[in-house]
Amino acid sequence: MSASFSREVVLDRIRRATPGAAASGAALAEAYGAQPQNYIRCGAMSAGERVELMMQRLREYDAEVVECAAEELARTIATQLAASGRWRFVAPPGLPSEWLAAGFDWRIDEGLTAAEIEGAEGVVTAAFCGVADSGTIVLHHSASEGRRVLTLLPDWHLCILRASQVVETLPEYFSRCAAREQGSGVRDQESGNEGTREQGNEKMGTEGRWTREERTKRLPSLVTWISGPSATADIEMTRIKGVHGPRFLHVILVKD
Amino acid sequence: MSAAGEQLGGRAILDPALAPPFPVAALAVLRDPQLRKNVAHAIDVIQGKRARLVAEKPDWQALRAAASWIKDEALRNLGLYLEEFEARCTAAGGVVHWAADAAEARRIILDLLREEKASEVIKIKTMTSAEIQLNPFLEAAGIGVYETDLAEIILQLGEGEPSHIVVPALHVNRSQVREIFARRMGIRDLPDDPQALTAAARQYLRGKFLRVPTAISGANFLIAETGSVAVVESEGNGRMCLTLPRTLITLAGIEKVLPRFQDLEVMLQVLARSATGERMNPYTSLWSGVTAGDGPERFHVVLLDNGRTGILARERERQTLRCIRCAACMNACPVYRQTGGHAYGSVYPGPIGAILTPQLEQLRHSQSLPYASSLCGACFEVCPVKINIPEVLIDLRAQVTDRQRRRAGRFFDPLYLGLRAANLIFARAWLFHGAQWMGRMGLRLFTRKDGWIHALPGVGGKWTETRDLRGLPQQTFHEWWAARKTGTEGTREQGNKRAEAK
């Protein structure tokens, strides 16, 4: 069987099995108007409660969390790094230089090999969003959040999350994704594309939704949702921290 | 070595074409107290955690309704969504392949590995690859296959078979794991605490992650509007396989597609809570095609039919394809709790396996599985995408029966003769009343003073062997009704009294 032959075979079977299918892509958008969305989309917490819940959830995952004011951030990072007892760190290229505390061995990821990243004792990154309800940190892997491998191989991950990036529910994160009002932890190429945003506004549908074409372009192409350090419960359901991903997750929550 | 260990070595048969019928396979497990203890412990832990987390979600039922709606919509327009996925994934640098059946999927994957000149491959846990029996096929072709999920390593090194779709090695306890790891990894003095065993697995795999340039994964979700793939995991072995190798091959059933990226806001909320009893699993990865400088340079998706379109075509059974493989149904199932997964003779055990496997096999095999249930409905109650498993089970039972009845030899089978006679009688009122009278007279001979029948002769004895039968009342409902209309109040009261007496 040739490859394109099987494609036609499978699609033909599907068409015969779904006689009620929409005739075109345009009709699909219609269908979505009927989706029941009476689950909780927006939370009801105050900003303070939201951050409190985020920290509580992170701690339940055995993550270390500290809070600090914006102007104390660089000092807090330095304290955290020192307390870790480690000194060889990697950082994504978009990380603000004032975050790179003096007195440590920094390697900036401008094409580091996996072995070089593996050799680091820790990594410091920004994040795209925090979801308080499940204590989830979301990375879109922009220049300040780093390539995927950067937050994977080192055993210790320090993540900087601003209070304004914390949402209460998972649906709120998805709304932020589509709207892209919120940039990444730090300004970088991800949030800078004004042209696209204005075009997007023009194309917004009457219900305030993006057209399908436009949404597709704006949605992230790489996402990692992190909820606590790597873990397994495969042996007798006993939760063990740190199988392959970082064993230690530290979070600094910046009040902004 | 315990019986569970023997079974681990002796390979439970998970090929539906070769597996013994469920009642036969279950018997071996029921005689193995260690295995039953391991299974019961594991599912008690998950069940407890799941129940706590679901209770804290005030909108749980709304989430289930939305999740089920989203999957239904994806299935209703499956062709369009798959084509959209293909177009977007291709535009993002991925290559999409279509496989009509298991053999074709295996061949596509082997061809891709040969193109890569791959002699080894690392794998993320994927039930779909177990479904198509990919590992033995690749190994026979001379390719070293390394599972990277802890439970899968335990099974691969211990030459065992998965007994659960989320925690595949839940039937193996720590001392059995210690024995397998010590033997196969060549570690002496390995203690049996899970911490040390997990560390041994990390050590064993670290080098492979950094060295092996080709990986195979499954998919939890395919997103049509972005051409992305999402993988949900806990350990980080998934992230390793998705980012370190040069080439990534993803095998996904065609039913995995979701229309929109935003649909994940529902799916991710219900999946982890249902599967492992966590608010969110530690890692979920989503990627679209290839990204320069980040992750694999070559990315292939193999879309697998293998019997799924047959399920899609049947109105009542279509809901089977909503399944997101969370395993909540098997954790809740009183039958699975007793038998564990191997008795189902398929990589998909439990209630979902009891409906999915026979359908994937087009009922050529696994005909005993629709009967491996008490129809209590616990699976339906916990299912995050609201699959009415009992409804499908009953429908499949009807199909199994229909097939058996059509066989020529079955014409004079006493059971079918009896059922045909019943059919005749129930269709005619005069025959029915006559039969009632005869039954009442006949059964009176066996009815004891307490109003119960404790033993019947002949075929009826099969019923009374394990349970008592209530004797027929002296008056049928019809007789009572007729008497009530023409007679006095007294009759009704007599009737009531008689009912109370029983």
Side-chain angles (χ1 to χ4, degrees):
Chain A
M1 272 189 280
S2 83
S4 62
F5 179 72
S6 286
R7 179 182 188 278
E8 286 319 306
V9 167
V10 175
L11 281 172
D12 188 54
R13 286 178 189 165
I14 293 172
R15 280 183 211 115
R16 273 184 288 131
T18 53
S24 68
L28 291 181
E30 286 282 306
Y32 249 90
Q35 187 194 349
Q37 280 200 337
N38 46 357
Y39 52 88
I40 298 169
R41 302 205 78 258
C42 287
M45 287 184 173
S46 70
E49 289 169 332
R50 208 157 51 217
V51 169
E52 234 4 86
L53 179 65
M54 180 78 198
M55 295 200 296
Q56 185 196 327
R57 289 285 188 257
L58 282 167
R59 288 187 182 123
E60 283 167 11
Y61 290 132
D62 299 325
E64 296 278 331
V65 193
V66 291
E67 244 186 318
C68 80
E71 58 277 11
E72 291 166 13
L73 178 57
R75 202 159 48 86
T76 311
I77 292 174
T79 318
Q80 289 289 309
L81 297 180
S84 76
R86 296 153 195 261
W87 75 284
R88 262 181 304 147
F89 292 95
V90 282
L95 209 68
S97 52
E98 64 270 23
W99 292 11
L100 306 175
F104 299 95
D105 179 16
W106 290 98
R107 301 268 164 85
I108 307 303
D109 177 31
E110 276 152 350
L112 294 176
T113 64
E116 284 170 317
I117 298 170
E118 167 83 354
E121 292 171 297
V123 57
V124 181
T125 72
F128 174 77
C129 185
V131 182
D133 179 51
S134 57
T136 303
I137 291 170
V138 194
L139 302 181
H140 280 188
H141 302 287
S142 66
S144 61
E145 296 156 66
R147 293 188 293 155
R148 289 178 291 171
V149 68
L150 204 66
T151 43
L152 178 61
L153 290 177
D155 209 18
W156 191 90
H157 178 196
L158 174 62
C159 187
I160 318 294
L161 189 62
R162 289 187 284 115
S164 60
Q165 291 178 306
V166 178
V167 296
E168 185 183 330
T169 69
L170 192 65
E172 285 173 73
Y173 154 75
F174 280 89
S175 303
R176 270 195 189 199
C177 269
R180 283 292 172 92
E181 286 161 355
Q182 201 69 20
S184 181
V186 221
R187 202 172 302 272
D188 56 44
Q189 69 263 43
E190 187 116 348
S191 58
N193 201 339
E194 288 298 317
T196 316
R197 191 181 302 170
E198 265 154 35
Q199 277 168 10
N201 280 334
E202 280 164 27
K203 284 189 186 170
M204 274 234 281
T206 41
E207 328 92 79
R209 286 188 177 181
W210 301 103
T211 62
R212 212 170 163 79
E213 216 32 61
E214 193 51 35
R215 279 175 56 86
T216 302
K217 256 189 277 172
R218 305 167 64 86
L219 292 174
S221 57
L222 289 178
V223 189
T224 306
W225 289 266
I226 298 175
S227 307
S230 155
T232 185
D234 276 344
I235 302 173
E236 294 186 12
M237 305 314 293
T238 310
R239 187 170 180 272
I240 304 295
K241 241 188 355 168
V243 195
H244 305 294
R247 266 181 283 196
F248 306 95
L249 176 63
H250 288 240
V251 178
I252 298 178
L253 249 161
V254 189
K255 289 178 266 189
D256 63 347
Chain B
M1 200 188 258
S2 79
E6 268 160 38
Q7 189 161 13
L8 203 66
R11 300 214 94 136
I13 303 166
L14 296 193
D15 182 344
L18 305 172
F22 181 82
V24 177
L27 219 53
V29 188
L30 295 175
R31 291 184 183 133
D32 183 344
Q34 180 64 58
L35 184 63
R36 291 172 70 182
K37 207 175 125 196
N38 296 352
V39 172
H41 167 72
I43 64 178
D44 281 348
V45 173
I46 315 179
Q47 277 266 78
K49 283 163 73 185
R50 179 203 164 271
R52 274 197 301 281
L53 287 189
V54 164
E56 75 173 25
K57 266 287 188 220
D59 56 344
W60 182 249
Q61 295 307 333
L63 284 167
R64 285 179 78 212
S68 138
W69 188 92
I70 290 165
K71 290 296 283 190
D72 272 350
E73 166 59 20
L75 295 171
R76 217 172 4 247
N77 292 300
L78 187 61
L80 284 171
Y81 288 126
L82 285 173
E83 284 181 289
E84 187 178 9
F85 170 81
E86 180 187 39
R88 306 267 188 227
C89 178
T90 308
V95 183
V96 178
H97 309 260
W98 301 71
D101 54 29
E104 192 179 10
R106 289 192 296 256
R107 210 212 57 226
I108 291 171
I109 292 173
L110 181 61
D111 285 351
L112 290 171
L113 293 176
R114 292 239 162 99
E115 258 171 57
E116 294 293 321
K117 298 187 172 41
S119 58
E120 295 175 311
V121 64
I122 46 178
K123 276 185 76 201
I124 315 177
K125 171 169 140 7
T126 137
M127 295 315 299
T128 315
S129 88
E131 174 192 323
I132 66 165
Q133 301 175 357
L134 183 64
N135 289 10
F137 177 79
L138 294 182
E139 276 157 11
I143 289 169
V145 180
Y146 302 112
E147 292 289 349
T148 62
D149 172 77
L150 178 57
E152 294 282 352
I153 301 169
I154 295 169
L155 296 177
Q156 193 179 35
L157 295 182
E159 295 181 0
E161 296 287 351
S163 69
H164 190 275
I165 59 174
V166 170
V167 228
L170 92 174
H171 58 289
V172 188
N173 66 20
R174 62 179 75 189
S175 63
Q176 294 165 328
V177 176
R178 192 207 70 82
E179 187 278 321
I180 293 166
F181 280 10
R183 179 160 50 87
R184 296 297 305 272
M185 296 177 186
I187 311 171
R188 263 183 288 163
D189 311 323
L190 185 63
D192 73 352
D193 74 292
Q195 184 84 52
L197 295 170
T198 305
R202 178 188 168 105
Q203 195 61 32
Y204 169 75
L205 281 177
R206 202 72 181 178
K208 294 187 174 56
F209 283 135
L210 293 164
R211 188 194 62 199
V212 179
T214 317
I216 294 174
S217 87
N220 288 92
F221 306 104
L222 308 172
I223 313 293
E225 79 171 330
T226 53
S228 319
V229 184
V231 164
V232 172
E233 54 139 351
S234 294
E235 297 173 10
N237 64 308
R239 293 180 69 194
M240 292 279 186
C241 293
L242 299 175
T243 53
L244 288 172
R246 198 177 56 222
T247 302
L248 172 64
I249 303 168
T250 295
L251 172 68
I254 50 173
E255 83 283 14
K256 296 284 181 191
V257 73
L258 296 179
R260 302 190 309 170
F261 176 66
Q262 200 184 339
D263 295 332
L264 290 173
E265 75 184 23
V266 176
M267 293 303 170
L268 293 181
Q269 286 200 73
V270 295
L271 178 52
R273 282 182 170 83
S274 300
T276 49
E278 293 169 297
R279 291 192 181 88
M280 189 74 103
N281 51 292
Y283 298 132
T284 300
S285 299
L286 176 134
W287 72 97
S288 322
V290 292
T291 305
D294 192 338
E297 293 158 31
R298 287 187 284 280
F299 171 55
H300 299 270
V301 183
V302 181
L303 298 175
L304 176 73
D305 179 351
N306 202 30
R308 285 160 173 78
T309 45
I311 306 176
L312 186 70
R314 299 184 71 99
E315 198 186 340
R316 196 172 304 154
E317 286 91 328
R318 182 187 280 186
Q319 54 182 321
T320 311
L321 297 177
R322 284 188 211 145
C323 178
I324 53 173
R325 308 284 190 266
C326 73
C329 60
M330 55 200 77
N331 299 334
C333 179
V335 176
Y336 178 91
R337 188 194 165 82
Q338 297 303 324
T339 64
H342 292 159
Y344 292 80
S346 157
V347 296
Y348 303 114
I352 187 64
I355 62 170
L356 182 59
T357 309
Q359 294 189 78
L360 290 176
E361 298 293 326
Q362 294 163 317
L363 281 176
R364 280 180 308 236
H365 310 291
S366 308
Q367 296 191 354
S368 62
L369 290 186
Y371 296 90
S373 165
S374 64
L375 301 178
C376 74
C379 47
F380 181 27
E381 208 174 289
V382 295
C383 178
V385 285
K386 298 177 86 163
I387 303 172
N388 189 336
I389 294 177
E391 182 186 60
V392 181
L393 281 169
I394 291 170
D395 200 71
L396 291 173
R397 287 181 186 186
Q399 290 177 41
V400 170
T401 309
D402 279 346
R403 280 172 178 240
Q404 288 174 350
R405 198 174 45 182
R406 278 198 294 272
R407 278 189 219 138
R410 288 293 176 131
F411 192 82
F412 295 107
D413 186 307
L415 179 68
Y416 290 97
L417 278 175
L419 286 171
R420 274 201 303 279
N423 192 17
L424 210 74
I425 293 165
F426 276 71
R428 290 158 186 83
W430 64 275
L431 268 177
F432 183 69
H433 289 306
Q436 268 180 330
W437 183 82
M438 278 171 60
R440 203 187 307 162
M441 291 303 129
L443 286 178
R444 195 179 276 172
L445 295 170
F446 304 101
T447 311
R448 301 275 178 81
K449 280 205 187 95
D450 60 2
W452 288 85
I453 299 165
H454 299 286
L456 277 173
V459 181
K462 281 192 180 172
W463 177 275
T464 50
E465 241 172 48
T466 49
R467 37 184 129 40
D468 293 338
L469 183 65
R470 194 183 272 280
L472 287 177
Q474 290 313 302
Q475 193 184 24
T476 68
F477 177 77
H478 275 183
E479 285 164 359
W480 172 77
W481 185 260
R484 189 203 67 99
K485 267 202 288 191
T486 56
T488 60
E489 283 297 303
T491 317
R492 190 192 297 173
E493 264 158 33
Q494 275 168 12
N496 284 343
K497 267 187 202 140
R498 204 168 16 242
E500 277 161 26
K502 291 177 182 173

